[in-house]
Each structure stands twice: as structure tokens, then as C-alpha cells.
Amino acid sequence: MPSAYTILLCLILLVAVLTWVMPAGQYSYLADGEPIAGSYTPMERNGQGLGEVFMAPLKGFYEAVEIAVFILMVGGFLGVMQKTGAIDTGIASLVGRLGDRGGVLIPILMGFFALGGTSFGMAEETIAFYPLLIPVLVTAGYDTLTAVSVILLGAGAGVLGSTVNPFATGIAAGFAGISMGDGILLRLSQLVLSVAIVMGFVLLYGGQVRRNPEKSLVAHQRLENLRRFSLDSSSEKQKLSGRQQLALWLFGGTFLVMIYGVIPFDDMGLPLPALGWWFPELSALFWVAAVLTGLLCRVKEDEIVAGFTAGAADLLGVALIIGISRGITVIMNQGMITDTILHWGETSLAGTGGVGFILMAFGVFLILSFLIPSSSGLATLAMPIMAPLAEITGVSRALVVTAFQTASGLVNLITPTSAVVMGALAIGRLSYGTWLRFVWKPVAMLAGMCLVTLTLGALLQ
């Protein structure tokens, strides 16, 4: 598969061609940007040429600059946290304290990775933990499949049930024109159910393997894995320093402040002051938290700067994908085919009701997630179309954001285009076929949970 950049650039070119053949038209819009149903008016075509194609990613980046800057600030904050070593040492310390008590270690670790997934989209960051945890769990009597699934399914369940994940929920909500806090209660329920499903499945499978190693799907590799993943220095107990403990408190506190800042308490009828924060304020929160963490944890000034710039650089690709993805919308808007697609959707979905629309949207997001594994790129591409279409069909934009993130999170547990999935399997010496044989059951249960919660969300909105 080509990279997300190539796919999106090809889509820009394809959409530009479509502006020459598709009918153009426009809706009338309310002051808040909501299209007025039935107001679509045909217009003269405005085909987009090569000049517009070359300019589209740049215009898209300018239109999405607030979101792009926010992503870079989050990356900088995570980079400074990396300098403190608090997260890595915290995991190592936990593993050392619990030793081979896998029955306790598994749910604790899966809960930790799920919190990382739901809060800041923990995915690529998990790669460093596989060499640490696989030897511990293999020595405790589990197989490599159990060890890999603790991390991959734990973090994946958190991403699927993203509450304030800036790379999925945040970007999607931004392009849907709503607060990240809208719909957070439904997403929180999905998080709890997702973690319960994968945790129960891994504990059940791991317990069977521990009692009878022949039940392992990789039983034929057992002796070789025992030799290969023997415990080394990673099994030694590590202790969190006082500064690292402070860093973890600051880390958790920053995300709690972010959650409070984006929740619309006034709309929810709760007697709490709503801050009404959005991307500018959230960007300020993360860069201030980065500096504060570095200073209070006594990280040297040059290391704070190096950590911040390195962390931001790690997410520069995400920011560029957002700009390129937005370029597709730029071409569609300039060619006046965006509203044509909305009109076709309005016509074809008339009478389907909220449940029919949200289930259809979930299916569309599943398909698109295989083609565009980048959640940020998919959110930027799809939300400008799906959010207004939801308004026309009587579905809240927050529910469409939830449908997007659950579909994207589900696909990214199994898609072979994900570097996280394939990297984890390579470290654990697992074939992709073995992973599919193992994971299809929890994925099927997660898919059923998504359908039920989305249906309830549509009925209760």
C-alpha cells in the first residue's frame, strides 16, 4: 500500500477531475454553518485545474492551522515527558514489583494502556514496551500472543473508546464544528465496554495457555520463545524517582484540565462553570505544561528545548497529513461539488431515520479506515461531508464523530497497513494470520458493541 500522503494527493487529483464532470450546486446555510434541508440550488460548473491542485494542500494547511499547531504542541509536551523517563520507568517499576503475577499484571497494564489510548491516542509509543513485557509474561507462563495483545488490544480499546484523544476525537470534532466534550458520555461508556471486552478475552485466553501450553495458538514456537525471550536486565526492579512521580502527576493533571476545559457543562445542565476552551487554549495548555514539567522535574533547559522540538517533529507528519487532507475539501468547495454530494446523501437517506444514517456512516468509516489508516487524515477528509449530512438527516454531529472514531479504532486493530500492528507482531514473532485467528473474536464483539451503542445514541439523542 502507498503511504497516506500519496493516497491523499491522488485523491486531490481525482476530486479535481470530478469537478469537471459532476454537477455543481450550493445549499443555503444558517449562521452556525448548518445547511438548510431542501435549499440545494444547481450552479454552473467550476472545474479545478493543475494550479488549484498544487495550491490545495497549502490552502488546506492554512485552513487547519489551529488544529495543526495543537498537534505539534501535544507532541512537544510528550517529548518533554519522554525526557523525564517517567512513563517508561513507571511501567518497568510496576512490572518489577508484580513479578510473575500475570493474573494481576495483565488487567493493570491493559488499563494503563487503555488510559493512554483514550487520552492521547497512545499507539506508536507502545512499541518500546513490547521488549519489556514479552519476557516477563512469557516467563510467567503465558505465550507471546498474550503479551502482545495486552499492549496492542489495551491501547487499541482506549483509542476505540477515545474520550479526548486529540488525534482522533479532537480533529474530528474540530472539522465537525463542535466541542470535543460533546458526546463524551457515550464515548466514555464505549471506553468502559471496550476495555472490559478485550481484558476479559485476554485473561480468559491467557489463563487457558498458562494452565495448558498446548492450547496456545503459537504452541509450536513455545520452546524457541522461551529461549529467545529469557528475562534480562529489564526484569530488574526499577523505582520511580520523586521527580518522575511528579512528572506523572503533572501528566495526568494536564489531561484532566484538558477534559474539564472542553466539556460543555452549561449545555449538559450541570452546575459547573464551562471554560469553553478550544484549540488555541488547548495548545497553550500543552506548551505551558511542557515547560512546567521540565522546570519542576529539573530537566536542563537545553533538554527541555530538545525534547519539545523532537516531540513536535515526531508529529509533524500528522500535521502535514491534516493539511493535505483538508486540501481535498478545498478542491471540492472551490469546485462546488461538496454540496452536491450532500444533496445526493440527503435524497438517498430520506426516510432512513437517525439509526439508519448512523449505522450507514459507521459502515462508510470502516471502509475508509482500511484505505486511509491515518485517523487524523480520515477525520479531516470525511467530517466536512458527514457532519453537515448528519444535520440534514436529524443526527447530531457528536454522534457522527463517535461513529468515526469507533470505526477507525476497530480497523486499526487488524489492518495490515498499520505500522503499529505489524511492528508489534514482528517483535513478538507472530504471523499476521495467527493474529487474525486470535483477534477476530474480540473484534467481532467490539463491532457488536459499537453498533448497539451507536443505535442507542441515535434513539436517545
Side-chain angles (χ1 to χ4, degrees):
M1 285 288 291
S3 68
Y5 301 99
T6 302
I7 292 173
L8 293 171
L9 288 171
C10 290
L11 285 174
I12 288 178
L13 186 60
L14 174 62
V15 170
V17 172
L18 291 178
T19 62
W20 292 91
V21 296
M22 284 181 58
Q26 285 186 335
Y27 275 99
S28 297
Y29 285 80
L30 299 175
D32 61 359
E34 179 183 341
I36 301 174
S39 66
Y40 177 80
T41 303
M43 308 287 287
E44 184 178 349
R45 282 196 185 99
N46 184 27
Q48 302 294 287
L50 284 178
E52 288 81 5
V53 168
F54 294 147
M55 288 297 297
L58 303 178
K59 290 183 178 180
F61 194 84
Y62 282 118
E63 288 190 6
V65 67
E66 284 189 354
I67 297 177
V69 170
F70 169 63
I71 294 301
L72 295 179
M73 294 303 101
V74 173
F77 171 68
L78 296 176
V80 174
M81 277 297 303
Q82 193 87 18
K83 285 292 183 181
T84 69
I87 295 178
D88 292 351
T89 305
I91 289 290
S93 175
L94 177 63
V95 170
R97 288 175 182 274
L98 293 176
D100 62 355
R101 286 174 287 175
V104 177
L105 188 59
I106 287 175
I108 292 177
L109 288 174
M110 293 190 77
F112 169 83
F113 289 119
L115 285 175
T118 192
S119 59
F120 66 96
M122 191 178 196
E124 289 84 355
E125 298 86 354
T126 61
I127 294 296
F129 296 111
Y130 290 97
L132 171 67
L133 295 180
I134 291 176
V136 172
L137 291 175
V138 167
T139 303
Y142 298 97
D143 61 1
T144 54
L145 196 53
T146 304
V148 167
S149 63
V150 165
I151 305 174
L152 188 53
L153 290 183
V159 172
L160 187 152
S162 292
T163 49
V164 289
N165 174 6
F167 308 108
T169 310
I171 294 173
F175 285 109
I178 60 173
S179 166
M180 200 191 310
D182 289 336
I184 195 171
L185 294 180
L186 177 60
R187 297 197 299 272
L188 185 61
S189 68
Q190 289 182 326
L191 172 64
V192 173
L193 292 172
S194 298
V195 173
I197 289 171
V198 298
M199 192 180 293
F201 185 82
V202 173
L203 284 171
L204 180 62
Y205 172 82
Q208 291 176 341
V209 169
R210 201 177 191 189
R211 290 189 298 270
N212 183 2
E214 294 303 315
K215 289 186 175 294
S216 169
L217 294 178
V218 289
H220 59 288
Q221 296 177 276
R222 181 170 180 268
L223 294 179
E224 186 179 352
N225 285 337
L226 284 173
R227 287 194 298 268
R228 187 179 185 91
F229 295 110
S230 58
L231 280 175
D232 51 24
S233 58
S234 67
S235 64
E236 298 177 0
K237 291 185 179 181
Q238 298 187 44
K239 293 183 179 179
L240 283 166
S241 68
R243 297 175 187 174
Q244 289 174 331
Q245 293 179 34
L246 176 59
L248 289 177
W249 281 107
L250 291 170
F251 181 79
T254 299
F255 280 96
L256 287 176
V257 171
M258 181 184 75
I259 292 170
Y260 185 91
V262 300
I263 293 179
F265 292 109
D266 44 0
D267 294 342
M268 299 168 67
L270 297 176
L272 293 170
L275 298 180
W277 285 4
W278 203 220
F279 288 116
E281 294 85 359
L282 295 177
S283 298
L285 169 67
F286 278 101
W287 86 257
V288 169
V291 174
L292 192 62
T293 299
L295 293 176
L296 293 180
C297 296
R298 299 185 184 179
V299 180
K300 294 180 180 179
E301 180 270 342
D302 58 337
E303 292 186 354
I304 294 176
V305 174
F308 191 92
T309 53
D314 285 342
L315 294 183
L316 180 60
V318 176
L320 291 175
I321 279 181
I322 291 171
I324 297 172
S325 302
R326 186 64 178 173
I328 297 173
T329 306
V330 168
I331 291 290
M332 292 173 64
N333 289 342
Q334 290 177 170
M336 293 187 291
I337 63 173
T338 303
D339 286 5
T340 297
I341 296 173
L342 291 179
H343 176 61
W344 289 349
E346 177 188 8
T347 304
S348 61
L349 293 172
T352 60
V355 173
F357 172 80
I358 202 62
L359 296 183
M360 181 277 297
F362 180 72
V364 169
F365 287 132
L366 284 176
I367 296 171
L368 291 177
S369 294
F370 276 105
L371 299 175
I372 307 174
S374 167
S375 59
S376 52
L378 179 57
T380 310
L381 170 66
M383 278 302 140
I385 293 291
M386 298 301 290
L389 186 57
E391 292 281 2
I392 293 174
T393 54
V395 174
S396 71
R397 295 186 178 213
L399 193 57
V400 175
V401 170
T402 302
F404 150 75
Q405 69 168 50
T406 52
S408 177
L410 192 66
V411 168
N412 282 323
L413 292 175
I414 58 173
T415 178
T417 60
S418 169
V420 176
V421 172
M422 302 312 289
L425 297 184
I427 296 172
R429 302 183 67 249
L430 299 169
S431 70
Y432 183 64
T434 299
W435 177 248
L436 289 182
R437 284 179 58 199
F438 170 79
V439 83
W440 76 266
K441 290 181 181 178
V443 166
M445 289 187 283
L446 288 171
M449 180 276 296
C450 292
L451 293 174
V452 171
T453 53
L454 289 173
T455 298
L456 291 175
L459 292 174
L460 297 176
Q461 67 176 348

